[in-house]
C-alpha cells in the first residue's frame, strides 16, 4: 500500500485518538520535510523481477500505472512534464531490490530549485542527471500490499543527487513545559465530546478555512468548542516541540520572496507518522497558491 497522507498532530485528535501525545514523549525518527513534486516510486517489482519507475499511481488498486519502459510512461502519463521526469528517472535511478519513494526536486546541474511551493538554493551545484529527496522504503512480497517505512539508510548512486539531510531533537529545550502541556491535554480530553469521522472531516474543512484566510482560530466560535480548545492545545505542543528541532540541510529556503527555515519535519514512531509544520506560514501559502 502507498505511504498514507501524513496528518498534522492536532488534526489526529479530533476523533479521540490521542496517540500523538505518546509520540511526543517517546523515541522517534525524524526527517526534514522537503517540498518536491511529483512523488517518485522506483525499484524491482517482486511480482516479475523487473525494474520500474512511477508516481504514487503505481499503487492504484484498480489500474496500477507501473512503468518498465519509455512506451509504458508515454501510455500511462500523457502530461509531457511528468513523462520527461519519469523517462529521466527510468534511465538514471539505481536498479535496486528495494522499492523507494522520494520527491523529485529537479534535473541536475543547478543550485537553485523550485519543485513546488518552496524555492531551494543548495550549497553546491548538483552533479547528477536528477535530484531526488528519498524518504520511504517499502517492504513486502507484493506491490499491492507493501508496507511503507521511513528511510534511514543513505542512498548513493552515480548520476543521481540524493538529498537526505539529518534531523534531530536538541537536548536543550522545554521538556518540562511540554510534559506539563501533554498532561493538561490528557486531562482536558476527559471532558471532550470527540467527533465522528464525518464530523471530523467537516471540522478540518472549517479549521482550514480559518488558516487559509489568515484568521485566528477561536474555540468559542465553534459548536464543539471544547474539542477545538484541545485542538489548539495540541497545536501549541507541536509548536513548542518544533522549537527543539534541528537539521543539517545545507540550503537556503524561500517561500515566495521570504526567507524561511524550511517547511518542517516528519516525525515517525510506533505511534504513527506526523508532519511538524507551521500551518500559519506554509499551509496558508499552499491553500492560497491553489486558489
Amino acid at each position: 500500500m502507498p505511504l498514507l497522507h501524513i496528518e498534522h498532530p492536532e488534526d489526529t485528535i479530533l476523533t479521540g485518538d490521542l496517540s500523538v501525545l505518546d509520540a511526543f514523549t517517546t523515541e522517534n525518527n525524524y526527517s526534514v520535510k522537503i517540498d518536491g513534486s511529483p512523488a517518485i516510486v522506483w525499484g524491482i517489482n517482486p511480482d516479475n523481477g523487473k525494474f520500474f519507475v512511477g508516481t504514487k499511481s503505481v499503487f492504484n488498486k484498480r489500474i496500477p500505472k507501473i512503468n518498465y519502459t519509455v512506451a509504458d510512461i508515454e501510455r500511462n502519463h500523457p502530461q509531457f512534464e511528468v513523462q520527461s521526469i519519469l523517462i529521466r528517472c527510468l534511465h538514471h535511478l539505481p536498479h535496486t531490490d528495494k522499492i523507494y519513494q522520494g520527491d523529485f526536486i529537479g534535473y541536475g546541474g543547478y543550485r537553485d530549485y523550485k519543485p513546488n511551493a518552496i524555492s531551494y538554493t543548495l550549497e553546491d551545484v548538483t552533479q547528477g542527471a536528477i535530484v531526488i529527496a528519498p524518504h520511504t522504503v517499502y517492504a513486502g512480497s507484493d506491490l499491492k500490499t507493501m508496507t511503507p517505512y521511513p528511510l534511514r539508510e543513505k542512498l548513493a548512486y552515480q548520476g543521481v543527487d540524493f538529498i537526505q539531510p539529518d534531523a534531530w531533537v536538541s537536548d536543550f529545550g522545554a521538556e518540562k513545559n511540554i510534559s506539563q502541556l501533554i498532561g493538561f491535554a490528557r486531562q482536558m480530553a476527559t471532558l471532550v465530546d470527540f467527533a465522528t469521522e464525518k464530523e471530523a472531516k467537516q471540522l478540518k474543512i472549517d479549521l482550514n478555512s480559518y488558516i487559509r484566510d489568515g484568521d485566528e482560530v477561536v474555540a468559542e466560535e465553534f459548536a464543539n468548542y471544547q474539542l477545538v480548545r484541545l485542538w489548539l492545545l495540541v497545536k501549541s505542543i507541536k509548536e513548542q516541540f518544533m522549537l527543539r528541532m534541528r537539521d543539517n540541510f545545507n540550503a537556503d529556503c524561500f517561500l515566495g520572496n521570504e526567507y524561511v527555515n524550511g517547511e518542517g519535519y516528519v516525525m515517525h514512531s510506533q505511534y504513527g507518522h506526523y508532519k511538524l509544520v507551521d500551518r500559519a506560514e506554509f499551509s496558508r501559502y499552499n491553500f492560497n497558491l491553489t486558489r
Side-chain angles (χ1 to χ4, degrees), residues 6-243:
I6 301 176
E7 294 272 16
H8 299 281
E10 57 270 27
D11 285 356
T12 65
I13 60 90
L14 294 175
T15 58
D17 181 0
L18 303 181
S19 300
V20 70
L21 300 180
D22 293 308
F24 280 126
T25 58
T26 193
E27 183 176 346
N28 293 287
N29 292 104
Y30 304 95
S31 57
V32 176
K33 197 172 189 302
I34 298 178
D35 188 34
S37 181
I40 303 294
V41 181
W42 78 94
I44 300 294
N45 187 345
D47 294 339
N48 55 26
K50 294 182 180 180
F51 176 76
F52 74 91
V53 299
T55 64
K56 286 188 286 188
S57 61
V58 303
F59 298 111
N60 286 355
K61 291 182 178 180
R62 294 188 61 187
I63 306 176
K65 297 181 179 180
I66 306 172
N67 307 294
Y68 304 105
T69 66
V70 171
D72 291 337
I73 294 172
E74 291 174 341
R75 181 180 64 256
N76 289 327
H77 303 276
Q79 185 181 12
F80 177 76
E81 183 179 1
V82 176
Q83 273 189 20
S84 302
I85 290 170
L86 289 176
I87 290 171
R88 186 73 70 95
C89 289
L90 180 69
H91 290 154
H92 292 281
L93 282 170
H95 291 211
T96 170
D97 290 339
K98 296 180 180 179
I99 293 177
Y100 296 102
Q101 180 177 327
D103 292 318
F104 185 77
I105 304 302
Y107 300 109
Y110 305 94
R111 288 183 63 216
D112 298 315
Y113 291 92
K114 191 179 185 300
N116 208 8
I118 298 179
S119 301
Y120 299 102
T121 297
L122 305 179
E123 187 176 38
D124 300 306
V125 173
T126 57
Q127 301 299 313
I130 53 176
V131 184
I132 301 279
H135 53 71
T136 301
V137 60
Y138 289 87
S141 58
D142 185 343
L143 197 59
K144 296 178 182 178
T145 59
M146 284 191 159
T147 303
Y149 295 95
L151 179 62
R152 298 173 188 173
E153 64 179 305
K154 298 295 185 182
L155 302 185
Y157 190 75
Q158 186 176 2
V160 182
D161 284 272
F162 289 114
I163 297 180
Q164 291 180 263
D166 298 309
W168 62 92
V169 177
S170 169
D171 291 335
F172 178 79
E175 294 92 340
K176 184 177 180 181
N177 185 43
I178 290 175
S179 296
Q180 290 174 339
L181 289 174
I182 289 173
F184 184 39
R186 293 190 188 280
Q187 290 179 344
M188 183 183 292
T190 63
L191 305 175
V192 169
D193 181 16
F194 287 102
T196 64
E197 292 289 345
K198 183 178 180 180
E199 290 168 343
K201 184 177 180 180
Q202 182 59 51
L203 186 52
K204 288 179 188 179
I205 293 173
D206 296 339
L207 289 165
N208 283 332
S209 69
Y210 275 72
I211 295 167
R212 181 187 61 233
D213 296 336
D215 295 332
E216 179 185 359
V217 175
V218 179
E220 287 70 26
E221 295 179 1
F222 293 79
N224 193 342
Y225 66 90
Q226 292 278 32
L227 179 55
V228 178
R229 282 180 180 174
L230 181 60
W231 182 91
L232 286 167
L233 178 56
V234 175
K235 179 173 174 287
S236 70
I237 292 171
K238 175 194 71 177
E239 291 164 352
Q240 287 291 320
F241 194 87
M242 287 179 64
L243 294 176

Side-chain angles (χ1 to χ4, degrees), residues 7-10 33 235 238-239 242 262-266 274-283 286:
E7 294 272 16
H8 299 281
E10 57 270 27
K33 197 172 189 302
K235 179 173 174 287
K238 175 194 71 177
E239 291 164 352
M242 287 179 64
E263 186 179 7
Y265 303 91
V266 178
Y274 308 93
K275 54 186 174 185
L276 310 179
V277 172
D278 183 341
R279 297 180 80 165
E281 185 171 43
F282 291 101
S283 297
N286 283 321

